[in-house]
């Protein structure tokens, strides 16, 4: 559908039918300008590395990566690396696997991985692996399948997955398997309830270590496609409400196991469109809510994975541009287009 | 950000809000810079605990501050009397409790509680369990709290039967409490390791879940649990599970008569019949055709399902 009836006024583009490309670009580019007057900006300072990754990858999907100051970003990212190799969420914060993966992803997206002491990063990641195959998020010892994903993704992106010998890979697979539940979904730790976000991290990690054979695709695909609600949106667990971020967690997992067609893509597309903010740009968790960079990124990922609106293709496992990954010779066996 | 509604305000109101927001930022930044200053000196002391506490009262997601507090406690372990450290850790549990009640979904806060609790010589696990009861009454699906609950049970050696009773209670209060169904599914195989016992228990569960599916046939929680029961009972060696499934077929047929357009009994009946290997494939086809019309979003799933017999 086009909007030729009112093509002069940018504000009157019908956001329920069109993706507001220009507005989303300006939303992301101007995120930092809000800092003087937005309390939220300050209480999320510790998340800046993730935020940078979400913003930058949003621009990549929108084919507007050139709108960011590459050198400034690279220098800032590098300034967040600690002497042990890990990256912190922001300059004066502590290192963590969550921000370490984001840092590697950003540098890769900006074609600057060579600026990084990759051996040191790998050493940090490996230092967090436990006997049972799980990973700590940092030296303090929280265990979660999110960290497993961060660890294997990070190593794989740097071409260092072979630092994990077969025995260790087996243990990682075993730990993930122990997090699998009665409904075929995955939780944070063994015994924890299935959650679509966690399911993405487990499916992604298994894809990276080449152990997708451990997944019953039909069982898991069914549980995931049951996340779609009558309004077209997806939830993360049974009997919860829809939220745009599951356009990434659910859709990416479905893509990896080749069951994306099991949900109604068009209905989901329409739901994400409705969550766009027609004034400021950006995408919110639900229609009518305040947008943020996290949901903007995940909403755009949804469009990209479902091949709508001619967006740049994002990879469902690594959450990075397919072209970027191919440039680094990373294998993407789950990508049927290749 | 989750669940923040965008509201239209008058210009005047917006200006007012902005002044408030700026003031909040100023105060917060002062608190943070005070903390950072103290931290940069590198002294791990009581003042550090006090200053960092203020930051966390504003923002419990500031994970570096929790790390700093743990550094202080570790340092105290080597420098203070044991009783004094225990006293401080007890105080910390109180502080975390306040934080948790205000910010019930912060990974960092829940982790810190675990970290402190195992350092207490005598953690009052009964009290911890009470906290879980309270928070799960307020938000029955809080998975952080469920996780903490399992941690407390493990540490305190709570009998599984008691926890099983809790899931019964929670489910009877609200059939949509999927978290409780999940918990039940992980308890049963542990409680009944013997095949014969497990078989008998699962038979009981089929009876029990029936009440839920007849009361709330549109609720997927109980149906997913039902599916799990089917998948589990058929794996028990040398048991007559087919009889159990056949009686389920009868029951669900009864439900379909009352609720002819509800997808869940139809879907369950279909999977039961597939499991039982019905000879007449038109029985299956009729059911899947119905599903294709009443559950359009998942039509491709049903199309792939029917390939199994076509
Ligand atoms: Zn969300």
């Amino acid at each position: 559908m086009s909007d030729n009836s009112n093509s002069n006024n940018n504000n009157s583009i019908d956001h329920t039918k069109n993706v507001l490309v220009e507005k989303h670009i300006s939303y992301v580019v101007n995120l930092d300008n809000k800092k003087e007057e937005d309390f939220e900006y300050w209480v999320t300072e510790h998340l800046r590395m993730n935020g940078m990754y979400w913003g930058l990858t949003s621009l990549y999907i929108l084919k507007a990566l050139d709108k960011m100051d590459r050198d400034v970003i690279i220098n800032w990212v590098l300034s967040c690396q600690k002497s042990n190799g890990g990256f912190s969420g922001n300059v004066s914060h502590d290192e963590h696997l969550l921000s370490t993966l984001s840092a590697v992803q950003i540098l890769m997206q900006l074609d600057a991985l060579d600026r990084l002491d990759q051996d040191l990063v790998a050493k940090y990641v490996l230092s967090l692996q436990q006997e049972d195959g799980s990973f700590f998020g940092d030296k303090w010892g929280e265990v979660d399948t999110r960290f497993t994903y961060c660890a294997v993704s990070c190593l794989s992106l740097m071409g260092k997955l072979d630092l994990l010998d077969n025995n260790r890979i087996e243990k990682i697979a075993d730990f993930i398997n122990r997090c699998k539940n009665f409904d075929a979904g995955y939780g944070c730790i063994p015994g924890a309830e299935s959650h679509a976000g966690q399911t993405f991290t487990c499916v992604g990690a298994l894809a990276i270590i080449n152990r997708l054979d451990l997944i019953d695709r039909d069982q898991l695909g069914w549980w995931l496609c049951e996340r779609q609600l009558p309004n077209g949106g997806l939830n993360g667990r049974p009997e919860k409400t829809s939220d745009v971020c599951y356009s990434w967690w659910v859709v990416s997992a479905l893509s990896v196991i080749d069951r994306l067609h099991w949900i109604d893509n068009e209905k989901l597309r329409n739901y994400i469109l409705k969550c766009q903010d027609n004034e400021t740009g950006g995408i919110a968790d639900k229609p009518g809510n305040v947008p943020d960079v996290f949901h903007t990124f995940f909403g755009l990922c949804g469009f990209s994975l479902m091949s709508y609106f001619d967006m740049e293709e994002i990879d469902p496992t690594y959450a990075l541009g397919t072209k970027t990954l191919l440039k680094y010779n990373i294998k993407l066996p789950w990508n049927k287009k290749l | 950000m989750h669940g923040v509604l965008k509201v239209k305000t008058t210009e005047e109101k917006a200006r007012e809000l902005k002044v408030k927001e700026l003031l909040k930022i100023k105060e917060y930044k002062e608190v943070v810079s005070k903390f950072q200053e103290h931290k940069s000196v590198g002294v791990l002391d009581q003042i550090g605990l006090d200053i960092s506490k203020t930051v966390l009262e504003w923002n419990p997601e500031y994970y570096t501050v929790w790390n700093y507090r743990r550094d202080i406690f570790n340092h105290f372990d080597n420098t203070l009397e044991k009783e004094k450290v225990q006293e401080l850790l007890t105080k910390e549990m109180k502080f975390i409790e306040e934080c948790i009640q205000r910010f019930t979904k912060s990974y960092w806060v829940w982790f810190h509680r675990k970290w402190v609790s195992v350092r207490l010589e005598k953690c009052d696990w009964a009290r911890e369990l009470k906290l879980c009861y309270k928070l799960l009454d307020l938000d029955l699906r809080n998975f952080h709290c469920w996780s903490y609950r399992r941690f407390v049970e493990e540490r305190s050696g709570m009998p599984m039967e008691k926890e099983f009773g809790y899931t019964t209670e929670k489910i009877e209060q609200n059939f949509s409490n999927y978290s409780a169904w999940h918990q039940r599914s992980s308890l049963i195989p542990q409680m009944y390791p013997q095949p014969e016992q497990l078989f008998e228990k699962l038979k009981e569960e089929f009876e029990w879940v029936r009440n839920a599916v007849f009361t709330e046939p549109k609720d997927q929680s109980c149906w997913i649990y039902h599916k799990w029961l089917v998948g589990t009972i058929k794996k028990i060696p040398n048991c007559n599970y087919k009889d159990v499934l056949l009686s389920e077929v009868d029951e669900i047929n009864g439900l379909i008569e009352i609720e002819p357009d509800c997808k869940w009994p139809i879907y369950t009946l279909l999977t039961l019949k597939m499991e039982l290997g019905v000879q007449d494939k038109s029985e299956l086809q009729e059911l899947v055709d119905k599903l294709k019309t009443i559950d359009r979003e998942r039509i491709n799933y049903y199309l792939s399902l029917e390939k199994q017999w076509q």
Side-chain angles (χ1 to χ4, degrees):
Chain A
M1 289 284 281
S2 74
D3 56 311
N4 43 20
S5 56
N6 40 32
S7 54
N8 289 332
N9 186 346
N10 215 16
N11 252 330
S12 56
I13 293 180
D14 182 356
H15 73 280
T16 63
K17 296 195 172 68
N18 299 279
V19 57
L20 310 171
V21 173
E22 292 309 317
K23 282 196 173 172
H24 295 325
I25 294 173
S26 97
Y27 174 80
V28 173
V29 170
N30 289 310
L31 277 171
D32 256 14
N33 301 341
K34 289 206 305 187
K35 72 176 175 197
E36 293 315 320
E37 49 189 70
D38 187 12
F39 180 67
E40 186 67 21
Y41 180 93
W42 294 100
V43 289
T44 53
E45 259 190 315
H46 64 282
L47 278 176
R48 199 63 68 234
M49 189 65 78
N50 299 316
M52 181 64 80
Y53 157 73
W54 294 325
L56 204 70
T57 315
S58 297
L59 291 178
Y60 172 88
I61 297 173
L62 294 164
K63 304 181 182 177
L65 207 52
D66 57 328
K67 294 281 194 299
M68 297 292 254
D69 194 330
R70 184 174 176 271
D71 292 337
V72 173
I73 296 173
I74 293 171
N75 288 331
W76 174 79
V77 170
L78 292 173
S79 76
C80 291
Q81 192 176 25
K82 308 288 164 177
S83 55
N84 65 1
F87 282 82
S88 53
N90 208 331
V91 181
S92 54
H93 296 238
D94 290 349
E95 69 278 11
H96 197 282
L97 266 184
L98 291 168
S99 30
T100 303
L101 173 61
S102 285
V104 171
Q105 287 170 316
I106 293 168
L107 293 175
M108 206 157 165
Q109 195 72 83
L110 294 175
D111 201 10
L113 213 47
D114 56 334
R115 298 275 305 273
L116 187 64
D117 182 348
Q118 296 174 43
D119 290 329
L120 194 61
V121 179
K123 206 175 140 202
Y124 174 70
V125 173
L126 291 173
S127 75
L128 296 169
Q129 198 191 2
Q130 304 307 302
E131 229 358 89
D132 65 356
S134 67
F135 280 85
F136 284 176
D138 62 13
K139 67 171 181 180
W140 294 105
E142 185 178 7
V143 169
D144 191 306
T145 44
R146 287 178 299 155
F147 310 146
T148 301
Y149 171 77
C150 289
V152 296
S153 178
C154 210
L155 291 174
S156 174
L157 289 173
M158 298 187 302
K160 293 189 182 299
L161 203 57
D162 54 7
L163 290 175
L164 296 167
D165 59 31
N166 283 343
N167 180 33
R168 282 188 162 212
I169 292 279
E170 234 5 82
K171 281 187 168 165
I172 292 172
D174 186 52
F175 180 77
I176 296 172
N177 229 11
R178 285 173 53 217
C179 297
K180 184 156 71 176
N181 289 311
F182 77 118
D183 49 22
Y186 295 83
C188 304
I189 50 171
E193 182 184 344
S194 298
H195 184 286
Q198 237 63 49
T199 299
F200 155 76
T201 63
C202 292
V203 171
L206 289 174
I208 292 169
I209 61 170
N210 201 21
R211 287 308 309 272
L212 284 175
D213 60 290
L214 290 173
I215 296 174
D216 183 335
R217 293 177 185 227
D218 288 347
Q219 285 295 337
L220 178 61
W222 176 75
W223 188 78
L224 287 169
C225 79
E226 281 296 340
R227 299 305 103 241
Q228 189 162 36
L229 299 173
N231 68 4
L234 304 168
N235 64 15
R237 295 186 280 160
E239 303 300 324
K240 300 282 279 183
T241 58
S242 56
D243 179 332
V244 160
C245 53
Y246 298 109
S247 313
W248 169 258
W249 311 118
V250 174
V251 173
S252 59
L254 281 171
S255 300
V256 174
I257 61 170
D258 194 18
R259 298 290 183 274
L260 181 52
H261 56 296
W262 281 10
I263 58 166
D264 188 328
N265 288 357
E266 207 162 303
K267 272 186 103 168
L268 174 59
R269 178 198 64 191
N270 293 343
Y271 178 79
I272 305 171
L273 285 172
K274 275 187 218 146
C275 294
Q276 297 182 104
D277 190 311
N278 206 350
E279 289 167 8
T280 59
I283 302 175
D285 58 341
K286 293 179 173 46
N289 279 357
V290 179
D292 60 76
V293 65
F294 177 81
H295 290 94
T296 302
F297 169 57
F298 290 133
L300 294 173
C301 282
F303 292 146
S304 170
L305 287 172
M306 296 187 291
S307 309
Y308 285 120
F309 306 117
D310 187 34
M311 306 235 155
E312 204 61 75
E313 187 182 316
I314 185 116
D315 180 73
T317 294
Y318 290 104
L320 274 176
T322 301
K323 283 182 192 160
T324 309
L325 293 161
L326 292 177
K327 202 156 68 186
Y328 280 91
N329 290 319
I330 291 180
K331 300 218 163 40
L332 310 172
W334 44 83
N335 189 327
K336 289 196 299 182
K337 290 181 210 154
L338 297 176
Chain B
M1 251 188 299
H2 280 115
V4 184
L5 193 70
K6 191 165 166 168
V7 275
K8 285 239 182 291
T9 49
T10 59
E11 239 175 79
E12 194 189 342
K13 190 91 201 265
R15 245 186 319 231
E16 243 173 64
L17 283 173
K18 195 172 166 184
V19 172
K20 265 193 199 158
E21 186 95 345
L22 290 177
L23 200 71
K24 229 164 106 182
I25 294 173
K26 190 168 165 263
E27 272 182 67
Y28 177 68
K29 279 167 81 173
E30 273 168 19
V31 167
V32 169
S33 73
K34 228 171 134 184
F35 158 72
Q36 279 169 344
E37 237 167 73
H38 188 80
K39 188 184 172 221
S40 67
V41 181
V43 200
L44 299 167
D45 58 3
Q46 181 61 46
I47 302 169
L49 278 186
D50 295 340
I51 293 178
S52 59
K53 187 174 171 205
T54 327
V55 180
L56 294 166
E57 281 166 348
W58 278 85
N59 180 13
E61 292 280 293
Y62 199 150
Y63 65 89
T64 303
V65 183
W66 291 113
N67 296 348
Y68 175 66
R69 288 179 85 75
R70 288 193 285 269
D71 272 329
I72 294 179
F73 285 120
N74 280 342
H75 178 68
F76 283 175
D77 264 343
N78 302 321
T79 51
L80 294 184
E81 302 244 338
K82 212 170 159 189
E83 292 83 56
K84 180 70 190 161
V85 180
Q86 286 294 314
E87 188 191 314
L88 288 170
L89 287 171
T90 308
K91 261 175 123 176
E92 187 73 352
M93 287 295 272
K94 257 202 187 129
F95 168 53
I96 306 167
E97 194 167 323
E98 288 160 23
C99 279
I100 276 184
Q101 305 206 39
R102 283 173 59 216
F103 306 93
T104 54
K105 292 178 179 175
S106 171
Y107 285 98
W108 312 110
V109 185
W110 284 104
F111 172 69
H112 189 59
R113 192 165 191 83
K114 283 187 192 171
W115 191 89
V116 175
S117 71
V118 296
R119 275 162 185 79
L120 283 170
E121 274 185 337
K122 276 198 193 114
C123 182
D124 185 351
W125 296 114
R127 191 191 149 80
E128 293 309 293
L129 202 58
K130 256 193 200 151
L131 177 69
C132 295
Y133 280 120
K134 186 175 163 190
L135 291 173
L136 289 177
D137 278 343
L138 295 172
D139 176 3
L140 42 135
R141 300 296 300 281
N142 183 338
F143 67 81
H144 302 278
C145 191
W146 277 102
S147 259
Y148 186 65
R149 201 186 151 86
R150 282 184 284 270
F151 166 82
V152 171
E153 281 156 16
E154 214 178 281
R155 289 277 161 175
S156 63
M158 186 171 120
M160 283 189 274
E161 288 71 22
K162 199 175 160 200
E163 180 63 3
F164 188 77
Y166 179 67
T167 67
T168 307
E169 185 192 318
K170 292 316 267 182
I171 292 168
E172 281 175 349
Q173 278 168 16
N174 184 339
F175 292 133
S176 299
N177 193 337
Y178 189 75
S179 307
W181 290 106
H182 158 82
Q183 183 81 330
R184 207 173 172 85
S185 81
S186 65
L187 284 168
I188 290 178
Q190 295 177 61
M191 287 167 68
Y192 302 93
Q194 301 292 339
E196 301 83 24
Q197 289 177 323
L198 182 63
F199 182 69
E200 289 307 314
K201 182 65 194 170
L202 293 179
K203 271 192 350 198
E204 243 179 79
E205 287 298 287
F206 272 113
E207 299 282 329
W208 192 73
V209 75
R210 192 166 305 139
N211 180 29
V213 300
F214 269 75
T215 317
E216 299 278 358
K218 291 191 181 77
D219 190 322
Q220 61 173 257
S221 308
C222 31
W223 290 109
I224 295 177
Y225 185 74
H226 189 279
K227 194 176 184 176
W228 174 73
L229 289 178
V230 174
T232 310
I233 202 165
K234 73 171 193 195
K235 279 193 217 124
I236 300 178
N238 308 319
C239 79
N240 200 355
Y241 76 90
K242 288 208 170 178
D243 281 354
V244 181
L245 299 193
L246 278 170
S247 87
E248 281 306 297
V249 167
D250 286 342
E251 296 291 341
I252 288 170
N253 267 321
L255 179 55
I256 293 175
E257 269 174 41
I258 314 167
E259 295 273 354
D261 291 319
C262 184
K263 107 176 196 192
W264 288 98
I266 302 173
Y267 175 69
T268 305
L269 184 63
L270 172 65
T271 52
L272 281 170
K273 287 193 172 186
M274 287 171 72
E275 208 59 74
L276 289 163
V278 291
Q279 294 302 313
D280 183 2
K281 300 301 177 202
S282 70
E283 277 181 47
L284 303 178
Q285 196 58 46
E286 196 184 319
L287 291 168
V288 87
D289 285 343
K290 175 87 180 171
L291 288 167
K292 283 190 278 185
T293 58
I294 59 176
D295 193 22
R296 301 274 322 158
E297 284 100 356
R298 278 162 282 273
I299 187 160
N300 286 326
Y301 166 67
Y302 298 120
L303 289 171
S304 92
L305 205 57
E306 69 185 12
K307 279 203 191 110
Q308 291 187 29
W309 65 80
Q310 278 175 353

